[in-house]
């Protein structure tokens, strides 16, 4: 036993990075609604460590569970702000940053003694049933972008040819004007001699 008033000792590893997966009830991912009312499957991994052992042990009940709820709520909030295309492409980093900041603010508010090191999205995809439709839309967008690129290349080529032709005609006109001017001067000098 321990001397009074100590009844137990709790060792806390403050340098150890801990990992938590936020998942759905029946799968590795959560089904969330995006800002444009599409459903998306998304997983979240949170890396954290115990930064304040006293707070971790005594200030908050179940700090890891608090972090899980805070990260889940922040993820739901951030995904709901964005259209599905952005969530699937360039919005991932913004979501990760916002979720990390919001989760950290929440654990700080409740003095859980945790430091959120990183938040990573995993398995971001449309629902399996809608995947072919999303792929078709993505392919159509890529094809549209390719058509626009081809049209811009054609436009640049035609403009370049037109500028070249205009330049050639201007040079021909200038040369013709100079020839006529010299001819007129020559005839004028001949007329003056008469």
């Amino acid at each position: 036993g321990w001397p009074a008033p100590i009844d137990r000792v709790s060792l806390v590893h403050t340098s150890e990075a801990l990992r938590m997966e936020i998942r759905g009830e029946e799968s590795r991912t959560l089904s969330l609604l995006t800002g444009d009312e599409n459903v998306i499957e998304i997983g979240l991994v949170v890396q954290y460590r115990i930064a304040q052992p006293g707070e971790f042990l005594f200030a908050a009940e179940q700090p890891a569970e608090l972090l899980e709820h805070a990260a889940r709520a922040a993820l739901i909030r951030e995904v709901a702000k964005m259209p599905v295309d952005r969530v699937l492409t360039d919005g991932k980093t913004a979501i990760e940053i916002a979720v990390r900041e919001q989760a950290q603010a929440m654990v700080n508010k409740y003095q859980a003694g945790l430091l959120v090191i990183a938040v990573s999205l995993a398995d971001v995809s449309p629902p399996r049933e809608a995947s072919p439709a999303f792929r078709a839309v993505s392919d159509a967008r890529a094809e549209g972008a390719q058509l626009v690129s081809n049209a811009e290349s054609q436009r640049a080529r035609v403009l370049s040819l037109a500028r070249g032709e205009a330049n050639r005609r201007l040079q021909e006109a200038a040369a013709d004007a100079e020839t006529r001017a010299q001819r007129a001067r020559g005839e004028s000098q001949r007329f003056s001699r008469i």
Side-chain angles (χ1 to χ4, degrees):
W2 297 96
I6 300 172
D7 62 347
R8 70 184 161 136
V9 174
S10 298
L11 294 177
V12 177
H13 300 285
T14 58
S15 60
E16 182 180 350
L18 304 167
R19 186 175 189 274
M20 162 190 310
E21 285 188 36
I22 314 280
R23 53 177 67 207
E25 292 177 21
E26 297 177 14
S27 70
R28 294 195 62 213
T29 59
L30 296 165
S31 294
L32 301 180
L33 198 60
T34 62
D36 55 0
E37 299 183 357
N38 283 291
V39 176
I40 192 159
E41 297 291 323
I42 193 164
L44 185 68
V45 176
V46 178
Q47 292 181 326
Y48 65 100
R49 70 178 179 81
I50 300 167
Q52 300 294 325
E55 289 180 359
F56 177 77
L57 291 171
F58 306 115
E61 275 189 46
Q62 302 175 336
E65 192 175 312
L66 172 66
L67 174 59
E68 179 181 352
H69 289 299
R72 183 185 304 263
L75 178 64
I76 291 167
R77 203 169 21 256
E78 290 305 310
V79 168
K81 290 179 184 177
M82 291 185 191
V84 69
D85 294 335
R86 184 139 187 257
V87 175
L88 288 169
T89 57
D90 63 340
K92 291 177 185 175
T93 302
I95 292 171
E96 290 170 343
I97 291 168
V99 168
R100 187 182 68 71
E101 289 172 352
Q102 291 174 36
Q104 185 66 61
M106 185 62 70
V107 296
N108 289 350
K109 179 179 176 182
Y110 288 99
Q111 299 177 334
L114 299 176
L115 175 67
V116 181
I117 300 168
V119 170
S120 305
L121 296 180
D123 304 323
V124 181
S125 62
R128 198 171 298 130
E129 308 82 41
S131 213
F134 273 91
R135 206 172 0 269
V137 168
S138 177
D139 291 349
R141 283 197 178 122
E143 185 178 337
Q146 182 63 43
L147 290 172
V148 168
S149 176
N150 290 346
E152 287 174 353
S153 294
Q154 177 68 16
R155 177 182 151 270
R157 198 169 32 256
V158 167
L159 274 174
S160 178
L161 289 172
R163 285 187 183 115
E165 179 64 18
N167 225 1
R168 184 185 66 77
R169 287 184 180 188
L170 281 172
Q171 289 175 351
E172 284 178 1
D176 188 45
E178 182 62 30
T179 303
R180 287 179 185 203
Q182 285 179 358
R183 189 177 308 139
R185 278 192 292 273
E187 288 177 12
S188 163
Q189 286 175 354
R190 267 194 312 238
F191 183 74
S192 307
R193 287 187 205 144
I194 297 183

